[in-house]
C-alpha cells in the first residue's frame, strides 16, 4: 500500500529566512546527475529543498523515506509512485516487475525505470529525503546502477544525515556529483540576524545574537530551540550563557527547557504520540484517548514546536526527528508501561485501517508478540515473496517461544535466510528448529507433524550440502523420504523465480570432490527418477550431466540431459530448464553439431515462462556469447558485449561468476587483453576465497589462454600449471578441450618444456598432460570438416597459405586487394581458434 503523504512535498512556514546563497547551490544541482545534501539533523535540509522547489519550474517527484522502505520492491514502488504524481502514465513497464518481488540481480526493473525516464520529454527532479534510513544492500546496488545510466534530463537529489554507501567515486571523477554539506546549510551570521529579526518576537542585541551564533555554529535547529527557550526566560543573558557545548548537549538542554514550560496536557500528548512516524487526529485519539487531537496538532504547529504538516489539508503530520527522538527517550526511560501501552494502541488502529506492516512494528515494541505473529502469519506468503528483509528483521526481534507452535513461520524464515545468503544464521536456526519440532510430536495431527518434520529435514539437507558434507546431506534426504515421500513443499518453492545463487541448482559450482558428487547424484537419481511428479530430481540430472560432460563421457551426459526435456513435470521450472538446456547445448557443440547447440539455447529462450525472464536471460545470453566464440562467430559475441551492461571495472558479485567469465573471454577475443585479465584476476581471488574449485580451474585456464595470446608464455605456463594441479585429482577434461587448438598447442609446448627441463615440476603428473593432449587428438577426429567451418573463399586462402604464398601473392592469385586477403585470414583464424599461419597449417594438416 502506497502512503500518499510520503509523496507530498513538506509545507514550509511563510516566514522563512531568505537564503540566496543556498538557493544558488541547489540550482547548481540541475547541472549534475546527483546532488547529495548531507548533514546531521537540524540543519534545515528538508526545509531548504521545500523552499527551493516552491520557486522551481521543473517537475518534481518527492519521497519521504522511513525504515519501512528497507525493502527493495517497496522502495522502488515509492519512487515510481512519486514520479506518477507528476507524470500519471509513468510506470506501466516498471510496476509488473516490482509486483513480482525482488531478485538477487535487479537490473531489469531498473532498466525499465530508466527507459521510461528516458522517454519523458521534460526535466524531472527526483528527491529522496532521509535516505540514511536505507540499509538494504540491494537498494544501494540498484541505486548505483540507476545513477550510472541516468538520462541527462533527470536529476536526483538525495537528502541524508550521512554519506552515501553507494559508490560515488566514478560520478565525482566524471563531474556528475554535486555536494551540499553542513557548511553550506548552516546559517551565516547575517542570516542569524535575519532569523531573530524577522521570525521571532525577541529583541536581541547584535552581541547577543553573535554569541548565540558562535555557540551553535549556525546550527539552525539550535537557534530555533534557543528562540523558543528565550521567550520563556526571565534572564535572557543568563540563558544565552548556558547554551554551549556539543550539538547533542545543546539540543537536549534546549528541548528540556522548552518541554518543561509546556502545559501538562501538551507534554502528555507529545510523549504519547512521539512513537508515531506520522499521525492524524484519529490515530492520535486512539493512542492518547484525548478528544481534541486536531486542536492539539494545530496548536503545536503554531508554537513552532518542530511539527511538520505532511499534506495541504493538514490532516497528517510528523515530528521533527530531533523532537521525536528526545521525547521517545523520555517516555521509554520514565514510563515503560506507558511505552508499551501506546505502541499497542497504535498497532490496533493501524491494523484496523489496513496498515499491517506498521502494526507489526508497534506490536513488537509493545511486546504484544502473539498479535505480531498473527499478522506475520496472515501475510506470510507476501512477506516471503517481496518483503524478505522486513520478515528477517521481525522474526529476529521476536522471542523464540512466540512462534514455537507456528512452524510454518520458522520454515519460511529459514527459506528466506538461505535465499538472501544469511547461511550461518540459517544453519543455527535449522538446528534449533529440528529440536523444537521433534518436541511437537503428539501435540498435533500425525500427518501435519510428518509434513513439518519432512520440511525441516529438507532444510537440514540444504545446510549440510552448503557445508559440502554430502554424507550427512544424503542421510537427511533419507529422512525426507521417510516423512514426506512425495517431497517437501520447499523443494520446488520459488524454482521458477531467479534466485541468483547457482550453488542451489548447479551442485558442481559448490562441491569440489567430483567422485563423491558422482556417487551422491547417482544414488538419489536412482531413488527419485521413477516418481511421476518429482521435479526436484531435475537438478540432479543437470549436475550429473555436467559432471559426465566434464569427464568427456558425452553420450552418457547427453542421455541424462535429455531426461529433463522429456518430462512434463519439470517444464514449469526455469531454473531446472536452464541448467539442462545449457548442458545439452555444450554436449552438442562438443559432439560436432554446432547448429543443434545453438538451436538448444534459442529453444531455451522460448521455453522459459517466468516473471524473472529478463534476469534468467542475462546468464543465457552470456552462455550464447561463449558458444559463439567457440563457433568462430565473433560478431555475435561483440554484440553481446555491447548490450550486456558489464564492465571490466565492476566489482563482481558471486551470483554472476559465469557472466563475468564470459565477459573476460569476449574481451580477450576482441584483443582487449588488459581488461580481460583485470576481470580474471578479480574472479580468481573471489573464487579462491570462496573455495569454488570448478570455476577457479576455468578462470586459471582463461588466464593462461589470454597470456598466451599476448605472447607472455611464462605467465601462461604458470597459470596452466595451477589449472592442471587443481584439475588432475578430479579428472577435469572438457574445461581444457573446450578451449580448442590454442590450448592443445599450449599443452604440447608446455609438455616439451617439462620433458626437457632439468628440474621438472614434482607435483605435476605429465601423464595427465599427455592424457589431455590425447583427448584433443581423439576430439579432432569428430570435428566438422573444414568446408563446414570456412567459406569457399576462405578455403582458397588457406590452400594458398599451405602452398607457401605471401598475402600479396594470394591477392594477385584471387584478383582481390591485400586488405581483403587480411580480412579473410582474420576470419579464418577466429573460426579455427588459431593466432598465426603456423597454427592454421597445423589445424589444416589434421584434416589431410
Amino acid at each position: 500500500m502506497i502512503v500518499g503523504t510520503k509523496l507530498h512535498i513538506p509545507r514550509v512556514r511563510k516566514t522563512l529566512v531568505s537564503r540566496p546563497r543556498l538557493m544558488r547551490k541547489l540550482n547548481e544541482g540541475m547541472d549534475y546527475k546527483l546532488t547529495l545534501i548531507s548533514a546531521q539533523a537540524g540543519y534545515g535540509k528538508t526545509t531548504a529543498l521545500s523552499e527551493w522547489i516552491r520557486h522551481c519550474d521543473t517537475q518534481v517527484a518527492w519521497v519521504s523515506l522511513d525504515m519501512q522502505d528497507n525493502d527493495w520492491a517497496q522502495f522502488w514502488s515509492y519512487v515510481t509512485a512519486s514520479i506518477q504524481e507528476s507524470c500519471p502514465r509513468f510506470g506501466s513497464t516498471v510496476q509488473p516487475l516490482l509486483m513480482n518481488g525482488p531478485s538477487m540481480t535487479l537490473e531489469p526493473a531498473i532498466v525499465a525505470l530508466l527507459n521510461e525516464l528516458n522517454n519523458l520529454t521534460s526535466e524531472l527532479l527526483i528527491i529522496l529525503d532521509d535516505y540514511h534510513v536505507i540499509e538494504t544492500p540491494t537498494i544501494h546496488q540498484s541505486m548505483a546502477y540507476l545513477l550510472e545510466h541516468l538520462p541527462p534530463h533527470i536529476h536526483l537529489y538525495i537528502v541524508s544525515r550521512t554519506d552515501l554507501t553507494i559508490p560515488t567515486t566514478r560520478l565525482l571523477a566524471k563531474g556528475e556529483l554535486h555536494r551540499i554539506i553542513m557548511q553550506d546549510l548552516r546559517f551565516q551570521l547575517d542570516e542569524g540576524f535575519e532569523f531573530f529579526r524577522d521570525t521571532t518576537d525577541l529583541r536581541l542585541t547584535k552581541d547577543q545574537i553573535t554569541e548565540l551564533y558562535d555557540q551553535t555554529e549556525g546550527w539552525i535547529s539550535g537557534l530555533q530551540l534557543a528562540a523558543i527557550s528565550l521567550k520563556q526566560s526571565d534572564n535572557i543573558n543568563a540563558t544565552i550563557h548556558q547554551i554551549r557545548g556539543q550539538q547533542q548537549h545543546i539540543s537536549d538542554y534546549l528541548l528540556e527547557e522548552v518541554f518543561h514550560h509546556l502545559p501538562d496536557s501538551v507534554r502528555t500528548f507529545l510523549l504519547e504520540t512521539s512513537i508515531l512516524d506520522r499521525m492524524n487526529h484519529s490515530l492520535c485519539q486512539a493512542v492518547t484517548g484525548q478528544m481534541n487531537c486536531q486542536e492539539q496538532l494545530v496548536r503545536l504547529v503554531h508554537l513552532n514546536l518542530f511539527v511538520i504538516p505532511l499534506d495541504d489539508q493538514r490532516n497528517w503530520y510528523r515530528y521533527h526527528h530531533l523532537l521525536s527522538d528526545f521525547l521517545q527517550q523520555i517516555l521509554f526511560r520514565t514510563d515503560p508501561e506507558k511505552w508499551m501501552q501506546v505502541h499497542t494502541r497504535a498497532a490496533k488502529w493501524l491494523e484496523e485501517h489496513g496498515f499491517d506492516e506498521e502494526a507489526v512494528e508497534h506490536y513488537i515494541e509493545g511486546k504484544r508478540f502473539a498479535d505480531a505473529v498473527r499478522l506475520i502469519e496472515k501475510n506470510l506468503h507476501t512477506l516471503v515473496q517481496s518483503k524478505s528483509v522486513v520478515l528477517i528483521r521481525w522474526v529476529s526481534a521476536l522471542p523464540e517461544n512466540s512462534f514455537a507452535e507456528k512452524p510454518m513461520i520458522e520454515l519460511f524464515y529459514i527459506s528466506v535466510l538461505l535465499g538472501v545468503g544469511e547461511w550461518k544464521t540459517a544453519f543455527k536456526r535449522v538446528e534449533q528448529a529440528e529440536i523444537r519440532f521433534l518436541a511437537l510430536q503428539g501435540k498435533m495431527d500425525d500427518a501435519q507433524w510428518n509434513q513439518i518434520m519432512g520440511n525441516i529435514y529438507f532444510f537440514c539437507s540444504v545446510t549440510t550440502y552448503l557445508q559440502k558434507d554430502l554424507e550427512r546431506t544424503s542421510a537427511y534426504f533419507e529422512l525426507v523420504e521417510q516423512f514426506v515421500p512425495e517431497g517437501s513443499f520447499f523443494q520446488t518453492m520459488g524454482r521458477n523465480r531467479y534466485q541468483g545463487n547457482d550453488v542451489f541448482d548447479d551442485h558442481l559450482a559448490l562441491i569440489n570432490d567430483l567422485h563423491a558428487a558422482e556417487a551422491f547424484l547417482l544414488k538419489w537419481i536412482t531413488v527419485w527418477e521413477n516418481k511421476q511428479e518429482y521435479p526436484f530430481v531435475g537438478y540432479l540430472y543437470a549436475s550429473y550431466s555436467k559432471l559426465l560432460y566434464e569427464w568427456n563421457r558425452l553420450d552418457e551426459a547427453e542421455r541424462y540431459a535429455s531426461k529433463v526435456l522429456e518430462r512434463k513435470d519439470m517444464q514449469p521450472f526455469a531454473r531446472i530448464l536452464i541448467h539442462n538446456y545449457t548442458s545439452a547445448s555444450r554436449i552438442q557443440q562438443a559432439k560436432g553439431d554446432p547448429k543443434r547447440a545453438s538451436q538448444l539455447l534459442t529453444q531455451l529462450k522460448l521455453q522459459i515462462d517466468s516473471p524473472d525472464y529478463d534476469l534468467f536471460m542475462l546468464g543465457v545470453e552470456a552462455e550464447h556469447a561463449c558458444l559463439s566464440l567457440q563457433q568462430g562467430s565473433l560478431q555475435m559475441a561483440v554484440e553481446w558485449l555491447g548490450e550486456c551492461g558489464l564492465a571490466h571495472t565492476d566489482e563482481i558479485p558471486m551470483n554472476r561468476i559465469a557472466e563475468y567469465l564470459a565477459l573476460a573471454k569476449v574481451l580477450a577475443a576482441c584483443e582487449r587483453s588488459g581488461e580481460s585479465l583485470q576481470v580474471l584476476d578479480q574472479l580468481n581471488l573471489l573464487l579462491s576465497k570462496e573455495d569454488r574449485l570448478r570455476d577457479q580451474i576455468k578462470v586459471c585456464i582463461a588466464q593462461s589462454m589470454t597470456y598466451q595470446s599476448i605472447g607472455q608464455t611464462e605467465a601462461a605456463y604458470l597459470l596452466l600449471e595451477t589449472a592442471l594441479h587443481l584439475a588432475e585429482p578430479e579428472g577435469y577434461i572438457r574445461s581444457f578441450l573446450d578451449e580448442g587448438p590454442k590450448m592443445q598447442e599450449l599443452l604440447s609446448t608446455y609438455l616439451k618444456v617439462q620433458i626437457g627441463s632439468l628440474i621438472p615440476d614434482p607435483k605435476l603428473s605429465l601423464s595427465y598432460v599427455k592424457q589431455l593432449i590425447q583427448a584433443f587428438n581423439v576430439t579432432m577426429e569428430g570435428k566438422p570438416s573444414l568446408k563446414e567451418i570456412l567459406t569457399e573463399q576462405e578455403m582458397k586462402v588457406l590452400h594458398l597459405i599451405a602452398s607457401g604464398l605471401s598475402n600479396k601473392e594470394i591477392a594477385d592469385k584471387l584478383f582481390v586487394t591485400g586488405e581483403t586477403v587480411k580480412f579473410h585470414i582474420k576470419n579464418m583464424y577466429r573460426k579455427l581458434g588459431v593466432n598465426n599461419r603456423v597454427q592454421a597449417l597445423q589445424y589444416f594438416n589434421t584434416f589431410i
Side-chain angles (χ1 to χ4, degrees):
M1 179 187 294
I2 296 294
V3 178
T5 52
K6 292 174 62 170
L7 308 180
H8 293 174
I9 300 167
R11 293 174 59 87
V12 294
R13 292 168 53 198
K14 292 179 181 177
T15 52
L16 280 177
V17 174
S18 173
R19 309 203 63 192
R21 286 183 292 261
L22 181 54
M23 295 300 112
R24 281 198 298 273
K25 267 277 189 184
L26 288 165
N27 276 329
E28 289 168 8
M30 296 294 286
D31 296 325
Y32 297 83
K33 272 188 180 183
L34 171 63
T35 297
L36 173 61
I37 303 161
S38 175
Q40 283 301 311
Y43 275 95
K45 302 182 291 294
T46 302
T47 302
L49 261 178
S50 301
E51 173 65 11
W52 175 64
I53 287 168
R54 282 179 57 199
H55 305 287
C56 185
D57 296 330
T58 308
Q59 288 182 321
V60 177
W62 182 294
V63 184
S64 296
L65 297 165
D66 57 42
M67 283 295 294
Q68 298 292 325
D69 299 317
N70 268 296
D71 176 87
W72 179 85
Q74 178 162 314
F75 177 91
W76 289 109
S77 292
Y78 268 106
V79 172
T80 304
S82 72
I83 300 170
Q84 287 172 339
E85 294 281 299
S86 299
C87 313
R89 295 183 180 178
F90 186 89
S92 60
T93 64
V94 183
Q95 289 291 2
L97 292 167
L98 296 176
M99 289 170 64
N100 289 331
S103 298
M104 290 187 72
T105 302
L106 307 165
E107 284 87 339
I110 308 305
V111 167
L113 180 65
L114 285 165
N115 287 338
E116 292 208 33
L117 287 171
N118 197 48
N119 290 333
L120 296 178
T121 55
S122 55
E123 281 193 306
L124 175 71
L125 297 175
I126 302 174
I127 297 175
L128 303 178
D129 195 12
D130 287 336
Y131 189 84
H132 56 270
V133 302
I134 301 300
E135 301 170 346
T136 306
T138 50
I139 295 177
H140 297 318
Q141 291 163 16
S142 50
M143 179 60 71
Y145 187 89
L146 180 89
L147 283 167
E148 183 71 21
H149 302 90
L150 199 67
H153 61 291
I154 310 298
H155 310 283
L156 184 62
Y157 282 64
I158 291 181
V159 183
S160 175
R161 294 187 196 176
T162 59
D163 277 339
L164 297 182
T165 53
I166 59 178
T168 55
T169 308
R170 193 183 300 182
L171 288 171
L172 194 61
K174 293 164 71 175
E176 295 173 338
L177 171 63
H178 182 49
R179 287 182 178 274
I180 296 176
I181 57 176
M182 182 188 72
Q183 286 79 359
D184 302 308
L185 290 159
R186 69 184 184 183
F187 277 165
Q188 300 300 310
L189 183 57
D190 60 327
E191 293 169 330
F193 286 133
E194 186 180 341
F195 168 75
F196 281 103
R197 185 186 70 231
D198 296 344
T199 69
T200 74
D201 298 328
L202 295 165
R203 296 290 177 262
L204 303 181
T205 66
K206 274 192 173 183
D207 287 344
Q208 287 173 327
I209 294 173
T210 301
E211 185 175 353
L212 278 171
Y213 176 81
D214 290 341
Q215 287 168 335
T216 59
E217 297 182 334
W219 180 42
I220 297 170
S221 288
L223 292 171
Q224 289 174 327
L225 284 166
I228 297 170
S229 180
L230 290 170
K231 283 181 185 179
Q232 301 161 343
S233 174
D234 297 328
N235 189 333
I236 285 179
N237 276 330
T239 301
I240 289 173
H241 292 323
Q242 288 171 341
I243 300 171
R244 60 182 67 254
Q246 299 296 318
Q247 284 181 8
Q248 188 61 51
H249 298 148
I250 292 172
S251 67
D252 286 350
Y253 166 74
L254 290 172
L255 282 166
E256 284 175 21
E257 284 290 303
V258 172
F259 188 67
H260 176 72
H261 286 89
L262 292 171
D264 287 345
S265 62
V266 176
R267 287 208 301 268
T268 300
F269 181 86
L270 283 168
L271 286 171
E272 293 181 353
T273 56
S274 67
I275 59 146
L276 302 171
D277 291 330
R278 57 194 172 86
M279 53 199 167
N280 62 13
H281 73 91
S282 174
L283 176 53
C284 290
Q285 184 175 320
V287 170
T288 66
Q290 297 185 26
M291 303 305 292
N292 62 337
C293 290
Q294 186 65 30
E295 294 171 23
Q296 289 275 38
L297 289 167
V298 172
R299 183 181 182 184
L300 291 173
V301 173
H302 288 159
L303 286 171
N304 292 330
L305 203 57
F306 286 44
V307 181
I308 303 164
L310 295 177
D311 55 21
D312 293 335
Q313 293 75 34
R314 299 201 171 209
N315 292 325
W316 287 90
Y317 300 81
R318 74 169 174 86
Y319 293 128
H320 192 288
H321 300 306
L322 278 173
L323 180 61
S324 61
D325 290 349
F326 169 79
L327 293 169
Q328 285 179 34
Q329 287 171 20
I330 293 176
L331 181 61
F332 185 78
R333 184 177 68 246
T334 61
D335 197 343
E337 283 295 320
K338 177 65 73 175
W339 171 269
M340 291 190 291
Q341 188 180 76
V342 292
H343 272 294
T344 301
R345 290 173 182 172
K348 287 179 178 177
W349 186 95
L350 290 163
E351 183 181 355
E352 288 170 6
H353 289 79
F355 301 107
D356 283 3
E357 284 183 44
E358 292 172 66
V360 171
E361 299 279 357
H362 286 288
Y363 276 134
I364 291 173
E365 285 292 338
K367 300 194 183 304
R368 293 288 291 267
F369 301 126
D371 288 309
V373 168
R374 175 176 52 78
L375 280 187
I376 291 171
E377 193 172 34
K378 172 187 169 186
N379 296 285
L380 196 53
H381 284 273
T382 302
L383 290 167
V384 170
Q385 289 295 326
S386 58
K387 303 276 184 179
S388 55
V389 175
V390 175
L391 180 61
I392 288 174
R393 180 160 53 82
W394 287 344
V395 176
S396 300
L398 290 168
E400 293 287 341
N401 61 1
S402 64
F403 52 93
E405 296 187 5
K406 301 283 185 183
M408 286 309 290
I409 291 181
E410 181 70 60
L411 291 168
F412 273 101
Y413 178 52
I414 290 168
S415 76
V416 168
L417 289 171
L418 290 168
V420 299
E422 296 281 346
W423 291 356
K424 287 184 179 178
T425 307
F427 296 167
K428 185 177 178 181
R429 299 292 301 208
V430 168
E431 287 177 7
Q432 294 169 343
E434 182 183 1
I435 296 167
R436 202 162 62 246
F437 291 178
L438 281 168
L440 293 175
Q441 187 174 16
K443 295 180 181 179
M444 59 175 61
D445 177 77
D446 285 348
Q448 185 184 3
W449 184 74
N450 285 343
Q451 194 73 35
I452 289 165
M453 292 310 299
N455 285 325
I456 196 62
Y457 285 135
F458 171 68
F459 282 126
C460 289
S461 74
V462 172
T463 59
T464 51
Y465 159 73
L466 291 173
Q467 295 170 74
K468 304 188 180 185
D469 188 341
L470 291 183
E471 188 175 336
R472 288 179 66 207
T473 302
S474 193
Y476 279 120
F477 274 168
E478 287 169 4
L479 288 169
V480 173
E481 270 295 288
Q482 178 185 330
F483 283 92
V484 281
E486 73 282 6
S488 165
F489 162 76
F490 291 97
Q491 283 179 312
T492 52
M493 188 189 80
R495 301 294 180 168
N496 198 38
R497 300 301 304 271
Y498 184 86
Q499 201 279 331
N501 200 328
D502 267 358
V503 299
F504 291 108
D505 307 334
D506 181 6
H507 305 102
L508 303 188
L510 182 73
I511 302 301
N512 295 342
D513 186 341
L514 297 192
H515 304 288
E518 181 188 29
F520 172 82
L521 292 167
L522 262 180
K523 173 182 176 177
W524 289 103
I525 286 173
T526 304
V527 172
W528 289 331
E529 68 177 340
N530 292 322
K531 296 189 178 187
Q532 292 301 309
E533 292 292 330
Y534 209 91
F536 185 69
V537 74
Y539 296 107
L540 278 64
Y541 283 148
S543 293
Y544 193 44
S545 173
K546 289 180 181 181
L547 188 152
L548 292 168
Y549 174 81
E550 187 58 59
W551 285 345
N552 208 24
R553 291 157 58 179
L554 301 181
D555 290 338
E556 294 171 80
E558 183 179 19
R559 188 162 67 250
Y560 279 95
S562 65
K563 286 177 182 285
V564 170
L565 312 186
E566 297 164 1
R567 286 184 57 153
K568 289 183 180 180
D569 60 333
M570 298 178 188
Q571 301 312 304
F573 299 103
R575 284 159 59 184
I576 296 175
L577 295 178
I578 282 173
H579 287 287
N580 278 281
Y581 269 91
T582 299
S583 181
S585 172
R586 292 175 185 173
I587 292 163
Q588 293 306 314
Q589 177 66 22
K591 293 184 79 172
D593 192 347
K595 185 177 179 182
R596 178 60 181 154
S598 297
Q599 285 174 345
L600 282 163
L601 291 184
T602 303
Q603 189 178 335
L604 172 61
K605 295 172 190 178
L606 299 173
Q607 188 80 2
I608 293 175
D609 182 13
S610 166
D612 296 332
Y613 180 87
D614 290 338
L615 297 173
F616 285 123
M617 283 304 102
L618 297 173
V620 176
E621 295 293 356
E623 178 72 21
H624 217 150
C626 290
L627 180 63
S628 299
L629 286 181
Q630 278 189 282
Q631 295 178 352
S633 178
L634 181 61
Q635 184 57 40
M636 184 177 172
V638 170
E639 289 173 6
W640 171 80
L641 184 62
E643 297 168 358
C644 68
L646 307 181
H648 69 284
T649 53
D650 293 346
E651 184 175 341
I652 301 173
M654 274 303 295
N655 61 305
R656 302 188 71 179
I657 295 296
E659 292 167 53
Y660 278 92
L661 181 53
L663 172 69
K665 289 184 174 184
V666 176
L667 287 171
C670 294
E671 299 179 1
R672 293 162 63 179
S673 304
E675 295 171 40
S676 174
L677 289 169
Q678 189 171 334
V679 175
L680 292 169
D681 287 346
Q682 191 185 157
L683 282 170
N684 206 343
L685 285 171
L686 185 60
L687 293 164
S688 178
K689 179 184 174 184
E690 296 292 329
D691 190 27
R692 301 289 178 83
L693 182 67
R694 182 195 66 186
D695 293 331
Q696 192 182 359
I697 290 168
K698 289 179 180 294
V699 168
C700 287
I701 289 171
Q703 287 176 302
S704 69
M705 298 298 294
T706 305
Y707 277 116
Q708 183 201 27
S709 71
I710 57 176
Q712 294 191 27
T713 307
E714 286 303 316
Y717 284 165
L718 283 172
L719 284 155
L720 178 63
E721 276 181 3
T722 302
L724 291 166
H725 284 314
L726 295 172
E728 183 180 9
E730 305 307 321
Y732 279 80
I733 297 175
R734 285 292 343 165
S735 290
F736 295 92
L737 299 191
D738 288 344
E739 298 298 326
K742 293 180 185 178
M743 174 54 76
Q744 183 180 18
E745 182 192 8
L746 183 62
L747 285 167
S748 298
T749 56
Y750 175 77
L751 180 63
K752 289 176 184 175
V753 169
Q754 285 296 312
I755 291 172
S757 173
L758 294 174
I759 311 174
D761 188 338
K763 298 178 186 175
L764 188 64
S765 166
L766 294 185
S767 62
Y768 179 52
V769 181
K770 293 174 182 176
Q771 178 191 348
L772 291 173
I773 294 170
Q774 179 59 32
F776 266 108
N777 294 333
V778 172
T779 301
M780 292 300 294
E781 294 171 10
K783 284 281 183 185
S785 67
L786 283 173
K787 288 184 179 180
E788 292 177 86
I789 300 172
L790 304 179
T791 65
E792 184 180 346
Q793 193 75 337
E794 288 163 355
M795 283 293 295
K796 290 179 182 177
V797 170
L798 182 56
H799 278 286
L800 293 171
I801 287 174
S803 301
L805 273 62
S806 67
N807 285 4
K808 184 178 184 310
E809 289 169 330
I810 293 171
D812 293 340
K813 196 87 170 173
L814 297 177
F815 304 105
V816 295
T817 66
E819 287 301 312
T820 301
V821 171
K822 287 180 182 177
F823 174 79
H824 286 312
I825 290 173
K826 188 175 181 181
N827 275 349
M828 182 177 64
Y829 285 176
R830 187 179 68 249
K831 290 179 181 180
L832 299 180
V834 299
N835 288 324
N836 52 50
R837 284 187 170 222
V838 174
Q839 292 174 355
L841 290 175
Q842 287 175 344
Y843 197 101
F844 177 68
N845 290 333
T846 63
F847 289 90
I848 298 174

